[in-house]
Amino acid sequence: MQTQNKYIYLVIVVCHIILYCTSITEQSVLRFEAPHPFEPQSAINLSPPPPVVFVTKTFTSQIDHFSFNPYLGSFRVRYLINDTYYQPGSPILFYTGNEGRIEAFANNTLIMWQMAPVINAALVFVEHRYYGNSMPFGDHSMDNASTLAYLTAEQALADFAYFLTNLKYLEPRLVAKRSPVIAIGGSYGGMLSAWMRQKYPHLVQGALASSAPVLQFINVTSCYAFSAAVSNAFTKASPNCSANIRKSWSAIDRTAASGQSGLLKLSKIFATCSPLTSKSDVNGLKAWIVSAYVTAAMVNYPYPASFLLPLPAWPVASICRPISSVASVSDKSNNDDISLLSAVSAGLNRYYYNYTGGVACLNLTVDPSSATLDDRGWGAQSCNEMVMPDSCANGITDMLQPTGDFDLEAYTASCLSQFGIRPRPNWVMTQFAGAVDPIACSNIFYANGDLDPWAPGGVKTSPNPSCPAELMKNAAHHLDLRAADARDPPDVARIRKLQWQAVQRWCKHFHQSVANANNDHAVWNRHLK
Amino acid sequence: MQTQNKYIYLVIVVCHIILYCTSITEQSVLRFEAPHPFEPQSAINLSPPPPVVFVTKTFTSQIDHFSFNPYLGSFRVRYLINDTYYQPGSPILFYTGNEGRIEAFANNTLIMWQMAPVINAALVFVEHRYYGNSMPFGDHSMDNASTLAYLTAEQALADFAYFLTNLKYLEPRLVAKRSPVIAIGGSYGGMLSAWMRQKYPHLVQGALASSAPVLQFINVTSCYAFSAAVSNAFTKASPNCSANIRKSWSAIDRTAASGQSGLLKLSKIFATCSPLTSKSDVNGLKAWIVSAYVTAAMVNYPYPASFLLPLPAWPVASICRPISSVASVSDKSNNDDISLLSAVSAGLNRYYYNYTGGVACLNLTVDPSSATLDDRGWGAQSCNEMVMPDSCANGITDMLQPTGDFDLEAYTASCLSQFGIRPRPNWVMTQFAGAVDPIACSNIFYANGDLDPWAPGGVKTSPNPSCPAELMKNAAHHLDLRAADARDPPDVARIRKLQWQAVQRWCKHFHQSVANANNDHAVWNRHLK
């Protein structure tokens, strides 16, 4: 749960542009017969992204799309739009907002901004209900289980569907009938984009689902897989680093076991703002460190970035530098423990929470990776349907402080006490596993990074050729969605090319099918108009 | 709304068996590698259906699947099961219950019973919430808008999905992991089976959607199309019949216009149980007659049947026999009016409400077509999301008493006053139009009868080859779902053969995809067990 709460707080960019859609002619727009001419082109060097400029708007949506409870009304959902480059018939790139203020996703998804001028795309980012300013019950939205009841992926997807159906009224410039809509999202946003395509394929012609852990659920993906992936990222940076980290937990325990002097020693080594005074404080220190490793692994990007917090290029390798320099600790000697823990502390200080300097001490009450994000709703979501056990560790297949197995009973009790919500842990797979169905899946591109702790819970093998699943070498959490960068690992460019070809195919098929007026889809499409 | 309330109250049968699945070997069941061997066979003459025998059970489902409202609990949904013929790996034929007691569908879907022994299928019929004994709030389920709030197709489909996911616990004999599930339904049940495949393709490998008016919604299908189809069925039986019926409304008006003596004359001609005394009574007479024509057109089967009420073979042609025998009425003469109306009355008496005799007079307060059905919930459904305008008539493209255009405002006012429910008339298309999407649609077989008034609101052109749309010549409402009969029009046998080939393909693909353990679907499937 700890890890889930610091889940993917930002989402970044889309896909490398290798080919581009030539703008459609006035004739084809008006006659609506010829398919939108997507002409393959050789590689294009993208210009730097234009400034992130958008208009902030809202639309009215049902608080509960799936009941007709007369006492539930409607609320305003925010969306951001840029139609500067749009031409009728060209694509609408639709970011399926996840757990945070929608601006965070617009500001961090720069490749959408790089792509828009090239393909004349409109950019739309719709905020997820219960985040940012899209609050069903205003300031009371988070009050209790009754007000939180409608905070589900199904309801958020229905908001998106309602929005897309009403685009003609909301945004007369966006001729939805003639424009393919491509859903784009990373992490939980990627899950939403995949699910949007599965549930509403008439509204969304394809989905780029990046680093979307759609299989990180009970009995589907082991709850130990996430920790193993965190550790693999560290082992890849330096085998000695993960080995030393694995030993560091007992070094902390041994040091703490010598009583107050040991606690004082630990406090000094880690430069904690408040001295550690209890076993519980020591556990807090360990949890903070685990969380730091997890975050570093998630945003282990090849250049300095400030997504969750300002970090150097390849933060995992950076953190590992001092840690891996401590050779063959014996597990026995007090001095060895101190040099190991000092190295851990140095790695985290220099390359994690104090990378830009100016942080005088380690404040264990602050999670530096979630300071800038407004993801308060995720706690409730992880307690209703998004039960994604991921924080089990055994110290064997991973380097982390060992935990017990996932305890659904304790988890449920905690959710009931915290929110009054009883989780339904199997519901998401019942509801959404169609998005990986080998026969029904269509037009979803699953991409994961092999350095990303969420990759084991993602789609690892393509359900079918229409739904490819690609693993990006040397990539962390949805690196493919970040702006194309010269320092990107080569495999990311390969994936972006495949993604872009997929988007091309989807747009082309859409135009072909809409051009064929002699089917019932065209009838529905007239309704959309 | 009148017509909607008497919508498809029963559902009948499935598909002609031309080929059959040989039972799988023990080895393939246990190793789960070889695809289920469906071997095409030449035409099989089906035996008469075995006795309809089932076990009645229930399962617990959420009242609201899409919220976590702590004050809403669970309820029991009924289902009927027959696993007499089932072997592990063979198909589960799953009837998606619609508006009525589930027994009605089990008892009237005889081809499922004919098919089961041949393919070793299990038969499952799940009751739709708010019908029969599946009442979310017990006896209070229909009390008011608050208790009716969860009576939607989405919630019913979620009941079905929850049921299928939990099949291994509920019915250990049905090895869901190894058995393809084929959704089957007619009319609204056919809409549900198509939507089930679209929304839950990992749980339902294909759908036979018979006479499913998934496009009978505002701005998609004209509200005049239904009446035109009713009239076409009569014209096909006898052009003079529909022409005379078209003239009969003004004949009624002229007769009534002569005051009490006219009303008395009308009462006598139609043998009403209570004398007509007002203009409103005359309108009631007309509405009753329109409803009779609609019902006769829906169940215009080639043999005597007792589905909605006991009727002769080809009831439309029967009703037409006296009516069409009245030659070239002048629209002017009083005597002509009386002979025309006498013929209308004779047709309806002899071949509709009094076909089996013993009915002394015409009781306008009783709709003979809905006497045996418990579809009270449909009123609320047609007032929340199932807004399917179908009862417009103009007397030009149809033979019925002209009405105005569909008036959404008046409709809404009536729903608010009747149930306290405000309709959302566009929601169904937003939610479910994916089921006709030309790119995403898969494994749905749409069949309609060219004599069926619901056919114009059905799928008329195949979205793609995986989702064929077939029109059965000389067939009324879901005739294909009735038991195979020597008197069936030849085209029905053609359609059943195509349906059966489709079911074969779906089952085969399922076994192939499940046999391939190297994909994430297999992971999900392990979850299903």
Side-chain angles (χ1 to χ4, degrees), chain A residues 65-68 71 146 149 155 165 198-202 215 424 430-431 434 438 440 460-461 519-521 524, chain B residues 65-68 71 146 149 155 165 198-202 215 424 430-431 434 438 440 459-461 519-521:
Chain A
H65 293 277
F66 303 103
S67 86
F68 283 76
Y71 303 109
S146 291
Q155 300 281 1
T165 308
Q198 200 281 302
K199 295 293 187 189
Y200 300 96
H202 54 303
L215 298 171
R424 278 192 250 144
T430 297
Q431 182 62 216
K460 290 166 287 298
T461 52
N519 66 29
D520 287 299
H521 176 70
W524 150 247
Chain B
H65 293 277
F66 303 103
S67 85
F68 283 76
Y71 302 109
S146 291
Q155 300 281 1
T165 308
Q198 200 281 302
K199 296 292 187 190
Y200 300 95
H202 54 303
L215 298 171
R424 280 191 249 141
T430 297
Q431 182 61 218
V459 181
K460 290 164 288 297
T461 53
N519 64 30
D520 287 299
H521 175 69

Side-chain angles (χ1 to χ4, degrees), chain B residues 254-290:
Chain B
R254 274 191 300 272
T255 310
S258 67
Q260 285 306 316
S261 73
L263 291 175
L264 196 62
K265 211 179 285 174
L266 276 181
S267 307
K268 276 194 181 161
I269 292 171
F270 286 99
T272 59
C273 297
S274 307
L276 307 173
T277 59
S278 66
K279 171 98 174 125
S280 160
D281 286 353
V282 174
N283 288 340
L285 171 67
K286 288 179 178 174
W288 190 97
I289 296 173
V290 166

